[in-house]
Amino acid sequence: MTATHARPQAKAGGGSVVRDVLTLMLLPVPLLAAALPAAFAGGGTRRWFGGRGGENQRADAQAAKDAAAAAFYELDTAQRDLLISIETITAVDSSPRARQAIDDFAALGRRIDEVSHGYITAVDAHDLDRHDLEPSVAGHALSELTKAKDELVRVKGELDRFAQGLGPLLGSAETQLARLAPAVERARQALLGASNALDAVRASGLRADDLAARLAALAPELTRLNQGAGRHGVPDTLQRADQVLRDAEAIRAEADRLPERAAEIDRRLVSLRTRAQALTTRAGSVEPVLSELRRRFSAACWQDLQPVPEQAAVNIRQAEEKLAEATKARDEQRWPDATAQLSTVRALLNATDEAVSAAGDRLQRLDAVAKDPQQEIQRTRFAIRDAQRLAMAGRNTPDPRHARPLDDAVSRLDRALAGLEGRHPDYWHFLTETEAVRRSVARVVSDIREERGAGA
C-alpha cells in the first residue's frame, strides 16, 4: 500500500494509530521485529513483497495471455474458412487427390484440437487478476502462455501452407460450382423451349407422338435437377444438366423442322411415284433392245441382259408396294417409317434405272465398235504409249515394276484384237478387255507419278 492510500485512514482514526505505534515502540526489539510484518499486512493493505518487479511480471503474463488469445482467434478463423473450402471440394471432387486433401485436413484438425486444448488449459490454470499473485506464479504463467501462443502460431502456419496447396483443387471445384446454377437453368429453359415448339407443331395439325414421348422421358431428369446437387452431387448434376440440354434442344430442333419434313416427304412421294411410272414405260423398251442384240450379235454380247425385263418388272412392283406403305406411314405421321420406305423405293428404282439403261447403252456401244473398232483400239494404244513414255522419262531402261504390267497390257490388247476375227466376233468381250487394259495402264501411271512426287 502506498503512502497516499494510507493518509485518509490516519485522519479518521488518529488516536488509535498513535497508540498502536507507541505500543510497538515500547516492545522489546525481537517482538517489534516480529510484529512489524503483521502490522503492515493487516487492515486490507497490499503486501510490498516484489515491488515493481512483480507488477511487471504480471503485465508480461497478461500480454502473453492476450497474444495467445489473438493467435487462438486467428487459428480458429482460418480453420473455419478452410472448412468451407474443404466442403466445396468434397461436394464436387471425388478424385484420389481430393480424398487425400480431406484426410490431411482431418489430421490438421486433430493437431489444432491439441494446441487449442493446451492454450485453454494454460489460461484456466492461471488467474492473473488475483491481488496476491506471486511473481513466480506470474512467471510460470508467462512461460506457459507464451508456449501455447507459439504452438498456435506454428499450427496456423501449417494450416496456411495447406490452404495454399489446395489452390488448384479449390479453383476447379469453384469453377464447377459456378457452372452449376447456369447449367441447370439452361436445361430448364431448353425443356421449356422444346415443350413450346411441340405445342406449336401440334397446333398445326401434326401429332409428333415420338417427340412427345421423348420429351416425357426427360421429366424424371428434370425432377432430379430440381432436387439439386446436395442430393445428387455437383458432377452428376452438371452432367445431367448438359444431357438434358442436348436432348431438349434436339427435340426442339426436330419439332421446328417437322412441318418442313412433312412437306419434303410429300414431295418425295410425288417424285418417286412419277419416276416409277416413267420406269414402267422405259422397261417396256428393253425387250425390243434385247431382240436387236440377239439378232445382230453373238450370245456373249447379250446373255447377261436376259433377266433385265423380268427383274425390272419385279423391282417396279416392289417399289409401288413400298410407296403405298410410305403413303400410309405419312398419313399416320410415322415419319421415320415413311422415310425408311421412301429410301427403299429409291434404291429399287435406281437399280431398275441402271439395268434398263444398261441394255440401251450396250446396243449403242456394240453398234459403234462393230462399225469401226479402230477408234477403241487407238484409244487404248495411245494410253499404253503415253504410259511407256512416262516410264522411260529420265531412264535408260524402265523399272521392271512398271515395264511388266505395261507389257502385259500390250499382250492383252493383241489378244482382244484377235478375238474380233472370225464370223461372229465377241465385240462385248473386246470392249470389256480394252477397258480393263486402260484401267491397268492408268494404275501404272498413278504409281510412277506418286513415286516421283515423293522423291521430289
Side-chain angles (χ1 to χ4, degrees), residues 228-438:
R231 179 169 180 179
H232 299 287
V234 174
D236 287 348
T237 302
L238 278 173
Q239 183 178 1
R240 180 172 290 109
D242 291 341
Q243 186 63 50
V244 168
L245 176 65
R246 288 192 296 270
D247 293 345
E249 287 182 342
I251 292 172
R252 178 177 181 174
E254 290 186 38
D256 290 340
R257 290 195 302 267
L258 193 54
E260 180 182 351
R261 184 180 183 185
E264 175 63 21
I265 288 176
D266 290 340
R267 287 192 295 270
R268 290 181 64 187
L269 279 169
V270 172
S271 174
L272 290 174
R273 191 175 288 114
T274 301
R275 187 182 176 191
Q277 293 170 354
L279 272 176
T280 301
T281 302
R282 285 184 58 205
S285 67
V286 175
E287 191 59 48
V289 169
L290 285 175
S291 178
E292 181 75 6
L293 288 170
R294 284 191 291 264
R295 184 177 64 82
R296 294 177 51 200
F297 298 97
S298 64
C301 295
W302 49 263
Q303 279 182 334
D304 61 314
L305 298 177
Q306 282 289 95
V308 170
E310 182 179 355
Q311 188 61 51
V314 171
N315 287 353
I316 292 173
R317 184 170 62 254
Q318 290 179 348
E320 289 174 344
E321 292 172 356
K322 295 297 181 182
L323 277 172
E325 294 177 10
T327 302
K328 181 180 179 182
R330 192 277 175 240
D331 293 340
E332 296 175 354
Q333 300 187 22
R334 292 183 285 110
W335 312 113
D337 291 344
T339 301
Q341 298 293 352
L342 290 175
S343 297
T344 301
V345 170
R346 183 179 179 183
L348 287 168
L349 295 181
N350 284 346
T352 305
D353 193 359
E354 184 178 347
V356 170
S357 298
D361 293 343
R362 177 80 59 88
L363 178 59
Q364 183 179 0
R365 294 181 64 188
L366 289 173
D367 277 340
V369 74
K371 183 178 180 180
D372 182 15
Q374 288 301 317
Q375 183 176 359
E376 187 72 12
I377 295 170
Q378 294 303 323
R379 180 184 175 191
T380 307
R381 282 178 173 167
F382 176 80
I384 295 173
R385 286 196 298 269
D386 189 56
Q388 290 172 335
R389 283 194 298 269
L390 181 63
M392 290 297 297
R395 302 177 62 96
N396 293 323
T397 57
D399 189 322
R401 294 176 301 164
H402 306 145
R404 188 176 299 108
L406 292 179
D407 290 342
D408 291 342
V410 173
S411 300
R412 288 184 69 178
L413 179 59
D414 291 341
R415 288 193 298 271
L417 287 172
L420 294 181
E421 299 174 358
R423 187 173 180 180
H424 298 290
D426 188 350
Y427 289 110
W428 185 240
H429 175 72
F430 172 74
L431 287 173
T432 55
E433 273 295 284
T434 53
E435 285 183 355
V437 168
R438 289 194 295 271

